Amino acid sequence: MRRHRHAKIVATVGPASSAPDRLKALFLAGVDTFRLNFSHGTHDDHAEVHAAIRALEAEVGRPIGILQDLQGPKIRIGTLRDGRLDLEAGETVRFVLEGRDGGKQAIPLHHPQIFAAVVPGQDLLIDDGRVRVRVIGLEAAAITAEVVTGGIISNRKGVNLPGTLLDLSPLTQKDRADLAFGLELGVDWVALSFVQKPSDLVEARALVGDRAGLLAKIEKPQALERIEDIIRLSDAVMVARGDLGVEIPHEDVPGRQKELIRACRLAVKPVIVATQMLDSMVGAPAPTRAEASDVATAIYDGADAVMLSAESATGRYPVEAVSMMDRIIRSVEGHKLYHSIVAASDPGEEETPPHAVATATATLAEALHAKAIVTYTASGTTAARVARKRPEPPILALTPNLATARRLCLLWGAHSVQTEDVNSYEGMVAKAAHHARVEGFATSNDHIVIAAGIPFHTTGNTNNIRLVQI
């Protein structure tokens, strides 16, 4: 089974999609990687879903990626008197480190890191920015603030501090327990929330090792200041526009999205665009025109994957949302301007032999209208180098490692196949031709272009191109 598109679809699993028959319907509709959101559900719930996906993988005979998304630290106000407060613009309120069931002069905020980091003039955003207050006074265990944008706040609403670097690890005790559980299950990717600085990735890598790919969620403006180092230390990136859009101006999000996609392409790292892509399909059978355009923009930008959150986790139309996303991607990629737009945003490449060979591979395949680019890859690097050029022919990624085949379910254009390793040049050519036929990419007299590293079994050494006629 092959997808007739290059960009991938990630879908979040939840109550609306966790049953085995529903997971199969989602896969058949177009899901390439399933996201397990560890902000919700129990370990037993996630274990059942994981087992169902692996059973589905065996049934359909295709690798399926599984992404574990860790919750990360959550900054919230405590409990309030009567469960809610109505804050009016211009009035003064007070946040306190200790206490509960407070009123306007004693709103509980049990996070000492905030009291250590904020300074007068900084804003606190409550409930995704619906309420905004500005710090005007500080004490050891209290913050006095003026309400800038009024509204109703209620128990346990989230708090964001744009522009403030907090002394918080992205891995809470819950995250560490969830991570150990996910790695034991055998997830393919681990998404790290609340990334603020490069050292956050170093801390997570020490726990993950090479047992899964490490994905950095970009949702804090502090991360944007060190984005090159963060991308370098991660295996993939998610543009988490929901939280990011709370802490930076809404009008800046589209530009940041383009910058992040370009930076990830340059670094040869897959990039996912996420949050509210088809949000109206949580309750409606069709998206708005603006949402369809939003998905299309991410594809024109060259994103490796686009993601569904509530649409597939709790929405009324999860399968329809996946089908719609699939149709939008195929429509964009079939548009006459698509390849010229994506080519215009080409970030270039590093001046190294492996990157030059990958670029030449993509150029040759396009010039000859080859039916496929076949890459031999142990770690996925060769396929990713070719994918960076966003070539028109699909990439048939052959790997002896099942873990690599599953991780490649996030990579643009890659149709991954686990196969036995090759030990000779003739064997490489024969196996490439065989899989190009079997997987439905080429028939007699068609051309394919093969990229590999020789000697074989050498990771990351892309140094050979071979043109083959079937």
Side-chain angles (χ1 to χ4, degrees):
M1 177 187 294
R2 58 172 292 199
R3 308 290 193 201
H4 292 280
R5 53 175 162 80
H6 293 299
K8 301 299 178 68
I9 295 175
V10 180
T12 304
V13 180
S17 53
S18 58
D21 61 338
R22 188 53 65 95
L23 291 169
K24 182 176 182 179
L26 290 171
F27 172 80
L28 294 176
V31 174
D32 301 290
T33 296
F34 287 99
R35 170 180 175 249
L36 307 184
N37 185 1
F38 272 68
S39 295
H40 308 285
T42 66
H43 283 186
D44 287 344
D45 294 334
H46 293 302
E48 288 182 13
V49 171
H50 184 279
I53 294 171
R54 291 295 177 238
L56 173 62
E57 181 182 66
E59 178 185 346
V60 299
R62 291 290 308 134
I64 300 175
I66 299 178
L67 167 68
Q68 177 189 26
D69 197 332
L70 300 176
Q71 176 176 284
K74 294 296 182 183
I75 301 173
R76 303 180 185 277
I77 61 174
T79 57
L80 303 170
R81 187 178 304 157
D82 300 323
R84 53 181 279 165
L85 292 173
D86 188 357
L87 306 186
E88 297 182 5
E91 70 177 329
T92 300
V93 295
R94 193 164 176 266
F95 297 87
V96 295
L97 183 59
E98 302 292 340
R100 57 189 301 273
D101 298 333
K104 293 183 179 181
Q105 295 306 308
I107 301 173
L109 188 58
H110 303 149
H111 298 278
Q113 299 87 353
I114 294 179
F115 290 81
V118 297
V119 296
Q122 286 186 320
D123 288 352
L124 276 66
L125 308 181
I126 306 173
D127 193 12
D128 289 338
R130 293 178 177 85
V131 174
R132 178 188 294 263
V133 302
R134 184 159 296 152
V135 177
I136 58 176
L138 288 172
E139 302 172 37
I143 297 172
T144 304
E146 180 184 357
V147 179
V148 177
T149 304
I152 296 174
I153 62 173
S154 55
N155 291 340
R156 307 292 300 162
K157 286 298 182 182
V159 178
N160 293 83
L161 290 88
T164 303
L165 181 66
L166 297 176
D167 185 19
L168 276 175
S169 166
L171 292 164
T172 64
Q173 292 276 6
K174 168 180 163 46
D175 294 324
R176 291 173 181 271
D178 289 343
L179 176 59
F181 178 75
L183 293 174
E184 183 179 350
L185 279 180
V187 298
D188 306 302
W189 291 95
V190 173
L192 188 64
S193 299
F194 211 86
V195 173
Q196 298 184 95
K197 53 192 183 299
S199 59
D200 293 339
L201 276 300
V202 176
E203 180 183 357
R205 180 69 73 183
L207 298 174
V208 176
D210 60 0
R211 290 181 288 175
L214 183 59
L215 185 149
K217 293 172 65 177
I218 307 303
E219 52 193 0
K220 306 290 291 182
Q222 294 79 11
L224 297 173
E225 298 171 7
R226 301 288 303 277
I227 193 61
E228 291 184 0
D229 290 333
I230 287 172
I231 293 174
R232 178 175 54 83
L233 292 168
S234 63
D235 298 311
V237 165
M238 180 188 295
V239 187
R241 303 179 306 173
D243 288 314
L244 185 63
V246 171
E247 300 208 10
I248 69 173
H250 287 68
E251 62 271 20
D252 290 350
V253 174
R256 290 296 195 176
Q257 174 176 308
K258 293 180 186 296
E259 291 172 9
L260 288 166
I261 292 173
R262 183 183 177 88
C264 289
R265 282 182 64 186
L266 179 61
V268 198
K269 303 290 176 71
V271 55
I272 305 170
V273 176
T275 316
Q276 296 178 329
M277 302 215 77
L278 297 176
D279 194 53
S280 64
M281 290 194 74
V282 172
T288 66
R289 274 62 171 178
E291 288 168 341
S293 182
D294 181 39
V295 175
T297 296
I299 305 306
Y300 280 120
D301 287 344
D304 289 83
V306 285
M307 192 177 97
L308 296 168
S309 299
E311 302 96 328
S312 59
T314 59
R316 295 176 59 189
Y317 303 96
V319 176
E320 291 83 353
V322 174
S323 297
M324 176 58 66
M325 188 166 269
D326 177 79
R327 285 157 49 196
I328 294 169
I329 296 171
R330 287 189 285 113
S331 177
V332 170
E333 293 180 350
H335 191 266
K336 61 184 179 181
L337 296 179
Y338 169 71
H339 286 287
S340 62
I341 292 173
V342 171
S345 62
D346 187 340
E349 65 272 334
E350 298 177 22
E351 296 178 353
T352 63
H355 288 298
V357 170
T359 298
T361 301
T363 302
L364 177 62
E366 288 197 323
L368 296 178
H369 303 289
K371 295 299 182 180
I373 299 170
V374 182
T375 65
Y376 282 88
T377 182
S379 64
T381 302
T382 297
R385 286 172 177 153
V386 174
R388 177 172 57 180
K389 299 303 295 182
R390 301 298 190 254
E392 189 168 353
I395 301 166
L396 177 55
L398 305 182
T399 178
N401 302 324
L402 180 57
T404 297
R406 289 167 172 166
R407 291 181 199 176
L408 287 172
C409 293
L410 273 188
L411 181 67
W412 185 98
H415 177 93
S416 56
V417 175
Q418 184 194 18
T419 183
E420 294 180 359
D421 212 345
V422 293
N423 297 299
S424 69
Y425 201 84
E426 295 76 13
M428 176 191 78
V429 173
K431 188 176 288 292
H434 168 75
H435 282 292
R437 279 180 176 274
V438 169
E439 299 294 329
F441 289 91
T443 58
S444 296
N445 299 319
D446 288 335
H447 286 94
I448 60 173
V449 178
I450 306 171
I454 297 175
F456 298 112
H457 319 299
T458 305
T459 301
N461 186 32
T462 311
N463 61 10
N464 186 271
I465 307 173
R466 175 69 183 267
L467 172 64
V468 174
Q469 186 174 28
I470 302 294

